[in-house]
Every structure is written in C-alpha cells, then in structure tokens.
Amino acid sequence: MRVDIKQNKIAAYIFLSLLGLVMVYPLLWLFASSFRTNQEIFTSLGLIPGELVTDAYARGWQGSGQYSYGTFFINTFLMVIPTVLGTIVSSALVGYGFARFRFPFKKLLFILMISQLMLPNAVIIIPRYILFRSLGWLNTYLPFIVPAMFATYSFFIFMMVQFIRGIPKELDESAYIDGCNSFTIFTRIMAPLLKPALFSAGIFQFIWRWNDFLNPLIYINSVKKYPLSLALRMSMDITDAISWNQLMAMSLLTMIPPILIFFFAQRYFVEGITTTGLKG
C-alpha cells in the first residue's frame, strides 16, 4: 500500500514538473532568443543558441532613437506608481463607505458601480478622450492618475466591499464606544486589516497599467513620454530591419518589475484573493 502511494506521488511530481516546463518554456525561449541572431530566432525551437550574441541587452537599452530604455522605464514608473497608489486609497475609502454606512440611494449607487463591470471599455473611449482633450490632459499622465484617485475602477471597489463585509462590525462598535470616529476607525482598524486586499488591488493594478498599450497609445503622442509598452512597439516600427534579439532582451527586462512585485507580495495576494471571494 505504501509502495503504491509512493509511486503515485512520484508520478504526480513527474507530471507536474513536465507541465511546469511546458508552461515556462515560452519564457525560457524568450530568454534564449535574446542571445541569438535574427536568422536563428525563426528557425530554432531549442534553448541553446548556435551562435552566441552577447550585446543584445546593451544595444537594445540604447533604444532606436534619441531616448534610451532608461527614459521609458522612468516614464512607466511615473505613470504607474501614482495610479496604483490612487487606486488603492480611493477604492478602500469608497469600499468602506459602501460596506459600513447607510446613506440615500446607496443601493442605486452600488448597482451603478457594479454595472460598470459589465461595460466594455471600448464604449467609453471616445467620450473619455473628448473629456480629457477638453481638460487639456492629452500627452500627459493625468488621464491615468486623476481618475484613479476618484475610485473609477469598480472591480477594486467591489473587492474592498467584499473584504470589509467579512470583518465583524463589533470591531467598529467597540471603537465607537472607545471614542473613535469613522475616519479613525478606517485608518487605525480597517486599513491594517485590509492589507491583503490592498496588496491584491495594488498588484492587479500595477500589472494592468504596466502592460497597458491601448490607453497610452490614445493619450500619449510624444516619444519623450512613451511608456515601455509603446517603446517596444516603436522599436518594431522605426527601422526596416528589426533586431529581434534586442527586442526580446528589452521585452524580458520589462517583465522583471511585475514579476518581482508579485513574488514579494505573493502571500498577501493569495490571502486577498481567497478572502474576498474572487477566486474561481
């Protein structure tokens, strides 16, 4: 009986290892291709370069025009970090309001907020572009940062509401008895307890905004302010002969910040997903 259990475990480990290799193979191929020549990239599925190219990262970092990838990385951080912080704070405040307070038209406002989850993003592109153009925000990062500070992402508000509903109201009542007001309860009691949900929202928003291509393409028209998603696309457009190994190298570098953030905050991310009922 023990022999069967041990054999089953070994078979499961082998199967999971092979499945893991299949899943991670595209990433390994991307890394290997950054050391290949253009011709070899499209003729080989192996992971060992036939002719080793070692300057793809250095040459790719210089970019195709007058701006290097250092500028594009800084632009991306300038756009993404305030957007993530604004999203976390505003979504937590609005979620706290929906979960704990009674006010006129609460149900109607909650339904409207939830209905935004069903609204295709393509539907609001034109009115949003006209609004931001009227405000003079085109070719700036304000179309990303300012809406995030006013809780315009319904998914994160819903996540906060679900998490706060799982926190006993007796904590609030005890705090009221001790003389705390609503803002103090939020900052001193709710905010520490919301840490898993805040990390989950932050990771989701960071990855989505980091990889966003469509919205920067609409609102940013100066190469000097391009984020990484547009810079990678520009590397393919600006020359007739694309250096694919350099493009692979820069693509790999752009993946590092989201991966690091996910692994450093993985514990809170998993806890936040499981406790807000968003899994599955």
Side-chain angles (χ1 to χ4, degrees):
M1 186 67 179
R2 287 184 177 179
V3 176
D4 292 339
I5 294 174
K6 190 175 180 180
Q7 288 177 345
N8 290 336
K9 280 188 176 180
I10 292 173
Y13 285 136
I14 292 173
F15 173 75
L16 291 175
S17 300
L18 292 175
L19 185 63
L21 284 175
V22 171
M23 299 293 289
V24 81
Y25 173 77
L27 187 61
L28 296 176
W29 186 87
L30 179 70
F31 176 72
S33 297
S34 64
F35 295 98
R36 288 194 170 111
T37 61
N38 271 4
Q39 294 76 15
E40 191 183 352
I41 287 175
F42 294 100
T43 57
S44 174
L45 290 175
L47 298 179
I48 300 176
E51 181 183 348
L52 189 63
V53 178
T54 57
D55 62 346
Y57 286 89
R59 298 182 59 146
W61 186 265
Q62 294 173 2
S64 304
Q66 57 180 321
Y67 302 106
S68 71
Y69 268 80
T71 302
F72 301 135
F73 265 95
I74 292 172
N75 291 343
T76 309
F77 280 117
L78 289 176
M79 184 183 74
V80 171
I81 291 177
T83 303
V84 171
L85 294 177
T87 300
I88 291 173
V89 174
S90 62
S91 299
L93 284 170
V94 175
Y96 177 57
F98 273 121
R100 284 295 197 257
F101 296 97
R102 294 181 179 178
F103 50 87
F105 308 112
K106 176 182 173 180
K107 289 185 177 179
L108 176 62
L109 292 173
F110 190 76
I111 291 172
L112 288 175
M113 187 271 293
I114 291 295
S115 65
Q116 290 184 18
L117 291 172
M118 322 298 175
L119 192 66
N121 187 49
V123 173
I124 58 175
I125 285 178
I126 293 177
R128 203 164 50 179
Y129 178 84
I130 294 173
L131 173 64
F132 293 151
R133 186 186 60 182
S134 303
L135 294 171
W137 290 359
L138 297 184
N139 201 31
T140 69
Y141 301 135
L142 293 177
F144 306 93
I145 298 170
V146 175
M149 292 181 175
F150 289 92
T152 55
Y153 293 94
S154 304
F155 175 76
F156 300 122
I157 298 173
F158 180 70
M159 178 187 288
M160 298 299 171
V161 171
Q162 289 292 95
F163 193 92
I164 294 172
R165 281 175 176 170
I167 299 174
K169 288 186 177 179
E170 286 76 10
L171 286 175
D172 300 36
E173 295 167 357
S174 300
Y176 277 123
I177 293 172
D178 290 338
C180 294
N181 56 32
S182 300
F183 183 75
T184 308
I185 293 173
F186 177 76
T187 55
R188 295 192 177 184
I189 297 176
M190 287 296 166
L193 294 175
L194 276 173
K195 197 182 294 182
L198 296 177
F199 271 96
S200 300
I203 291 173
F204 273 126
Q205 183 70 316
F206 185 91
I207 294 174
W208 289 348
R209 296 285 72 81
W210 187 271
N211 294 326
D212 189 10
F213 176 79
L214 178 61
N215 290 306
L217 183 66
I218 294 172
Y219 301 123
I220 306 295
N221 52 43
S222 169
V223 177
K224 184 180 178 180
K225 296 181 179 179
Y226 269 14
L228 287 166
S229 55
L230 295 186
L232 288 171
R233 186 67 182 88
M234 184 182 67
S235 298
M236 299 175 65
D237 291 338
I238 202 166
T239 58
D240 294 332
I242 302 171
S243 299
W244 289 102
N245 54 0
Q246 297 177 22
L247 193 61
M248 301 287 182
M250 292 303 101
S251 299
L252 198 63
L253 291 182
T254 61
M255 295 167 59
I256 292 176
I259 291 175
L260 288 179
I261 285 180
F262 175 78
F263 279 107
F264 281 123
Q266 186 180 16
R267 181 167 65 89
Y268 294 110
F269 178 73
V270 174
E271 187 178 349
I273 293 298
T274 54
T275 52
T276 52
L278 296 176
K279 60 180 179 179

